[in-house]
Amino acid sequence: MIEIRLEHLGKRFDSSRGAKEILRDITLTVRPGEVIVIRGDNGTGKTTLLNILVGIEPATTGTMRFSDAADGPHRVGYVQQDYTSSLLPWFDVRENVAIPLRLAGVEKKERSDRADRLLESLGFATLPRDAYPYQLSGGQKQRVALARALIHEPHLLILDEPFANLDAHSTRDLQETISEIHQSKRPTILYVSHDLDQIFLADRVLLLHGSPAAIAAEFALPLERPRHKAIILADEYVSIRAKILSYEETIYAERQ
């Protein structure tokens, strides 16, 4: 488990046409093992914030600090929104899933065995292990990208719309599997979701709003763990969901 501290974080993109400020004054502490959902309209910098967290993009202003991991260097799993381009076309499913283990120097036989065990545990038994990305559907590619992010048991798991190409039942099953992984391994998790029915894993929901965007609101989900998919029918969850929706509709109406 690792803690993340962001202080007055900002991001500006400069080009020949001028500067565009995307994020301003993002101050946030993510507790070790906490699950955070980030919401907001298109263009509010959700993906940019995730890219800063994993080191793909540098922040323009502010600071970002990570606590030390107890068992060595930080391991980070990241499922990008453009998951299709993140799969290597010359590797089959098993090899794509095992890329983090390959980079860590794990032997081929162990890589293959661990990839197979993980795919089974995630409920992806029907995913063709020897198929290449061009032979997979969008939902199958999404499953491969998610499995690859989990294969090395990350301390920090970053997910950008991780369930976007899955049907409702597959989404809830996979969320429950991630809940079980979180319960046993306790990674710190941040993920983006536009669907209010996909937030039940969260401890907190953060709403980005404005241009440049800042954290406009925060909602706690003080629900018991482990979380199961049936919780979306519970009165307490329905109440929290309605509160978030009401707030979002209010600030949307203010823009009209």
Side-chain angles (χ1 to χ4, degrees):
M1 295 189 293
I2 59 174
E3 179 181 78
I4 305 169
R5 289 182 179 270
L6 309 180
E7 295 184 4
H8 308 295
L9 201 75
K11 179 63 181 179
R12 183 187 68 249
F13 289 102
D14 297 312
S15 70
S16 59
R17 293 176 292 181
K20 182 173 178 58
E21 191 178 11
I22 304 298
L23 297 169
R24 177 184 292 176
D25 200 27
I26 304 293
T27 296
L28 170 69
T29 297
V30 182
R31 296 180 291 272
E34 190 173 20
V35 182
I36 299 286
V37 167
I38 301 170
R39 290 178 56 78
D41 290 343
N42 292 335
T44 52
K46 300 182 298 297
T47 296
T48 297
L49 180 58
L50 298 187
N51 286 340
I52 291 172
L53 287 169
V54 299
I56 293 175
E57 290 280 354
T60 308
T61 59
T63 60
M64 177 172 64
R65 295 185 177 89
F66 292 80
S67 65
D68 292 332
D71 58 346
H74 296 145
R75 296 190 300 275
V76 179
Y78 187 19
V79 177
Q80 296 171 281
Q81 193 174 74
D82 185 13
Y83 59 87
T84 299
S85 64
S86 73
L87 301 183
L88 299 184
W90 54 88
F91 280 174
D92 62 21
V93 165
R94 187 181 286 108
E95 292 170 318
N96 263 291
V97 170
I99 285 173
L101 303 182
R102 186 188 187 101
L103 294 175
V106 177
E107 293 294 328
K108 184 176 182 179
K109 177 66 165 58
E110 183 181 348
R111 295 199 308 262
S112 296
D113 289 346
R114 286 175 62 177
D116 284 340
R117 288 197 300 270
L118 176 63
L119 291 169
E120 290 286 340
S121 71
L122 291 174
F124 298 166
T126 60
L127 197 62
R129 308 288 201 271
D130 300 324
Y132 289 85
Y134 77 92
Q135 298 172 306
L136 303 176
S137 68
Q140 288 175 321
K141 292 175 184 176
Q142 185 79 321
R143 288 172 168 86
V144 175
L146 181 58
R148 183 180 60 192
L150 293 168
I151 188 70
H152 61 327
E153 298 184 355
H155 303 106
L156 174 62
L157 182 60
I158 303 288
L159 308 170
D160 195 353
E161 288 287 346
F163 313 113
N165 288 281
L166 303 178
D167 61 72
H169 293 293
S170 296
T171 293
R172 286 193 286 272
D173 287 344
L174 187 54
Q175 285 175 318
E176 193 158 284
T177 298
I178 292 175
S179 177
E180 293 167 359
I181 291 170
H182 178 261
Q183 191 70 17
S184 61
K185 305 296 183 181
R186 301 296 292 172
T188 302
I189 301 175
L190 291 94
Y191 70 98
V192 167
S193 178
H194 286 288
D195 188 340
L196 273 173
D197 288 330
Q198 295 178 3
I199 66 170
F200 79 86
L201 294 176
D203 295 298
R204 285 185 288 162
V205 175
L206 306 180
L207 179 63
L208 293 181
H209 181 65
S211 182
I215 297 174
E218 175 184 311
F219 303 90
L221 279 76
L223 307 172
E224 290 186 2
R225 292 194 182 276
R227 304 273 174 85
H228 300 288
K229 57 189 176 183
I231 203 169
I232 66 173
L233 302 176
D235 290 343
E236 188 175 7
Y237 179 82
V238 171
S239 176
I240 295 169
R241 183 189 184 282
K243 183 179 179 182
I244 296 171
L245 180 60
S246 176
Y247 186 91
E248 291 179 343
E249 289 299 308
T250 298
I251 61 173
Y252 178 79
E254 291 173 352
R255 299 186 329 202
Q256 304 307 303

